[in-house]
Amino acid sequence: MDLLLSTAWSAIVRFFGLENVVEIVTAIFGLGCIVIGFAVLLLGH
């Protein structure tokens, strides 16, 4: 199921030409998760 959804998402992204936008959003999301993790670690929660 996961592979099917991933393939469908890739096809949609390629169809609209949004490869760069998706990569940037993914990178920002990943960095945001790292920042939140450090904030939680520093605040001791």
Side-chain angles (χ1 to χ4, degrees):
M1 185 67 181
D2 187 41
L3 180 63
L4 180 64
L5 289 175
S6 178
T7 304
W9 177 248
S10 295
I12 292 168
V13 167
R14 278 191 221 106
F15 178 75
F16 288 108
L18 299 174
E19 292 94 349
N20 292 335
V21 174
V22 171
E23 287 184 23
I24 292 169
V25 169
T26 303
I28 291 172
F29 178 75
L31 290 174
C33 288
I34 292 169
V35 169
I36 290 170
F38 274 117
V40 168
L41 179 67
L42 292 175
L43 294 175
H45 286 276

